[in-house]
């Protein structure tokens, strides 16, 4: 898996370098259309290489998608947190009930369960006569 990831990163790097070398021309990036920026004071333009504009736009789109998904999934995280707290509470309650109800069992059930567990050392019980 690590090898496949390394190959993917290497191919991605080659593609990005190729795009950067093919788009080295300087372009003027304007924040507002036509001459609208002069009404706000200033030129509101910047000259950048085209590949930098492409990479920044791609990174901004990825960041916007990440924030969008994080906000969209917020109710799932909140629900999971509530369910986790409820599970923790119920596990504690079950543990408390097990401790509370671990009192000695009914004598008949204790006698029936004892052969399965084996006899305790130190007890001298008379065994029943064998069936004929």
């Amino acid at each position: 898996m690590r090898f496949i990831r390394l190959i993917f990163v290497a191919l991605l790097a080659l593609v990005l370098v190729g795009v950067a070398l093919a788009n080295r021309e300087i372009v003027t990036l304007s924040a507002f259309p036509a001459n609208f920026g002069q009404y706000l004071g200033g030129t509101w333009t910047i000259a950048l290489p085209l590949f930098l504009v492409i990479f920044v736009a791609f990174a901004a789109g990825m960041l916007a998608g990440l924030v969008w998904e994080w906000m969209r999934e917020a109710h799932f995280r909140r629900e999971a947190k509530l369910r986790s707290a409820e599970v923790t509470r119920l596990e504690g309650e079950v543990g408390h009930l097990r401790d509370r109800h671990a009192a000695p069992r009914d004598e008949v059930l204790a006698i029936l369960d004892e052969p399965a567990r084996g006899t305790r050392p130190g007890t001298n019980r008379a065994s029943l006569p064998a069936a004929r």
Side-chain angles (χ1 to χ4, degrees):
M1 189 68 178
R2 180 178 282 174
F3 183 69
I4 293 172
R5 187 180 312 154
L6 182 63
I7 289 174
F8 176 74
V9 169
L11 289 175
L12 182 64
L14 284 174
V15 168
L16 292 178
V17 167
V19 168
L21 290 175
N23 295 292
R24 293 179 295 174
E25 302 86 27
I26 301 295
V27 294
T28 303
L29 187 64
S30 300
F32 299 107
N35 294 322
F36 185 72
Q38 70 187 14
Y39 296 115
L40 299 175
T43 58
W44 296 88
T45 61
I46 187 169
L48 296 170
L50 180 58
F51 73 88
L52 194 59
V53 173
I54 293 170
F55 292 164
V56 169
F58 182 74
M62 293 293 286
L63 183 64
L66 178 72
V67 169
W68 181 271
E69 282 299 308
W70 182 76
M71 289 175 20
R72 188 182 69 83
E73 294 171 352
H75 68 280
F76 292 124
R77 288 190 304 275
R78 183 176 41 241
E79 186 71 23
K81 185 177 178 182
L82 289 173
R83 296 293 180 217
S84 177
E86 184 177 0
V87 165
T88 302
R89 181 186 63 82
L90 291 173
E91 284 176 346
E93 187 175 331
V94 166
H96 174 70
L97 288 172
R98 282 186 181 146
D99 291 341
R100 195 170 117 204
H101 292 288
R105 297 175 58 185
D106 186 33
E107 291 177 12
V108 173
L109 292 176
I111 292 171
L112 291 174
D113 284 345
E114 195 162 319
R117 286 188 261 155
T119 57
R120 294 184 204 149
T123 58
N124 190 5
R125 300 189 106 189
S127 60
L128 295 174
R132 295 186 182 178

